[in-house]
Every structure is written in C-alpha cells, then in structure tokens.
C-alpha cells in the first residue's frame, strides 16, 4: 500500500515531496520576507480544509484581519473556511502559546481536541529566538513547541525568517535536527533579475526531489516550475 501523504496544495511541491508531507511530521519553512512562507501556509491549510482535515493558523504578529486581506489578494476566502469550521485562526504571543503546551487542559489543547485539528501552521518560530540567548534553552523551547503539537497528533508547519547570512547563526538552537522536513524558499539572481527558488533540504522517512526549482507567486498562490540546471540558490 502507498503511504498516506498530506498534500500541500501546491502541485509541483507535492511532486517534490513524493506526494506530500508525512503525517505527524514537523515541517520547517524557511525564507526571507516576501518569499511566500505565509502563502505556502495558506495552501497547506486550505488543502486540508478541502479534504476534511481541519486546520489551525497560529499567528504571533499578524492580526486575523491582515491575514484575511493577504489571502483575498491571492483568491482565497479564509472567512468561508472559518464559518464552515474547517479553519481556525489564533492570534497570541509566543510566551502564552509556550505555556499553553505544558498542560492538556490549555485553550490550545482544547481547541485542537474539540475541533479535530489535523494541520497546524505557526507563524513564526523566529519569535522564540528573541526569548533567550542561551542555545540549550532555545533548543528546549523548540522541543516543547514541536513535541507539544505532535502529542496532539497533528502535522505542523513552522515558518521561520531567514536572511541570506543568518542560517548558521540561527542554527544555535539546532532547529534543523528537531524538525522532520525543511523547505527552503530563497531569492535568486539570474542574469540581473531577481526570482525565487525552492528546495526541499531535508525529509525524514521519505525520498524527495533534492533539486532546486524556480517558483512564482500570483493569483491562486504558488506555482512551482521545472528543476533549475546548474544554478545554486542564493
């Protein structure tokens, strides 16, 4: 039997992932501002809603009104999915969210259980790096967040900010070892033009396409193109 996968809603990315994400995994989506991390989260949650897999979007920075506006600009009506009970949006702080994972009777835990949440997108993990400068404490925070959601039997996508030079610095928390899958969204300069490039850097328990693909963002969201030949991601 073919192992069940959770489709992302982006056809080209699903092909790169051998059909989608592995259920129960923790996915890190890294990229600089404007590369489409939140757009990919929209794809992921809406695809789940369409397939009867309720989702939860946790935001530490953007108010729901802003998220509605961003999704509408891409052709998606988040309010409709909310009204149908297939999507939930939670605006909170990193500290409150972190403390909520220490008990099974927290508002977050109850929301996940009562609404049968199967997909979660969290925007963003970067906020936790501002809570401590201690590398061991940061890794403990990552473990608390990721394992806390895994106990709820959900498949979680975590967005993470990245500039061109901070991946090594941000690795002080060894985040790449904690998550199961890493999708990189990068800006790419080719012949004096700026484009976007996507790479699946890591995927546990599954084969995946490890080539770099160009992608675009427009009405309807992300479109992944063919592999790029001989061009490294910036």
């Amino acid at each position: 039997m073919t192992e069940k996968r959770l489709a992302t809603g982006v056809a080209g990315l699903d092909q790169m992932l051998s059909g989608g994400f592995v259920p129960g995994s923790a996915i890190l989506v890294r990229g600089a501002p404007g590369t489409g991390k939140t757009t990919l989260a929209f794809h992921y949650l809406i695809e789940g809603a369409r397939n009867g897999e309720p989702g939860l979007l946790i935001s530490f920075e953007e108010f729901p009104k802003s998220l509605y506006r961003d999704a509408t600009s891409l052709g998606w009506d988040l309010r409709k999915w909310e009204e149908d009970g297939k999507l939930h949006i939670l605006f909170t702080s990193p500290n409150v969210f972190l403390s909520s994972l220490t008990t099974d009777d927290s508002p977050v835990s109850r929301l996940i259980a009562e609404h049968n949440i199967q997909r979660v997108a969290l925007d963003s993990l970067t906020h936790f790096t501002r809570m401590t400068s201690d590398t061991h404490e940061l890794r403990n925070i990552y473990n608390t967040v990721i394992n806390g959601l895994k106990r709820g039997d959900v498949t979680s996508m975590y967005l993470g900010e990245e500039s061109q030079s901070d991946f090594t610095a941000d690795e002080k928390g060894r985040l790449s070892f904690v998550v199961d899958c890493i999708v990189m969204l990068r800006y790419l300069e080719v012949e004096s033009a700026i484009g976007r490039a996507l790479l699946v850097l890591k995927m546990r328990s599954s084969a995946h396409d490890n080539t770099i693909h160009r992608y675009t963002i427009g009405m309807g969201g992300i479109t992944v193109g063919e592999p790029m030949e001989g061009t490294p991601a910036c």
Side-chain angles (χ1 to χ4, degrees), residues 23 27-28 41 46 53 67 72 94-96 100 108 134 140 146 162 190-191 202 207 211 231:
I27 303 111
L28 173 64
I46 291 170
E53 299 162 354
L67 294 168
T72 298
N95 299 77
V96 171
S100 75
V108 173
D134 183 273
N140 286 336
I146 291 170
E162 179 188 73
V190 179
E191 297 178 352
K202 167 187 175 179
T211 58
T231 306

Side-chain angles (χ1 to χ4, degrees), residues 81 122 200:
W81 296 110
L122 186 148
V200 179

Side-chain angles (χ1 to χ4, degrees), residues 213-227:
H213 290 245
R214 193 188 301 268
Y215 70 97
T216 58
I217 301 175
M219 184 59 66
I222 295 172
T223 301
V224 176
E226 295 298 316

Side-chain angles (χ1 to χ4, degrees), residues 19 21 32 34 41 92 99 101 108 118 126 134 137 139 153-154 173-174 192 209 217 220 227:
F21 295 126
T92 186
S99 64
L101 295 176
V108 173
Q118 297 180 44
T126 306
D134 183 273
E137 184 178 3
R139 184 161 187 174
D153 198 27
V154 300
R174 311 301 289 171
S192 299
D209 182 344
I217 301 175

Side-chain angles (χ1 to χ4, degrees), residues 143-157:
N143 277 314
T144 298
V145 172
I146 291 170
N147 292 334
L149 289 176
K150 279 190 174 183
R151 283 197 299 272
D153 198 27
V154 300
T155 305
S156 301
M157 174 182 288

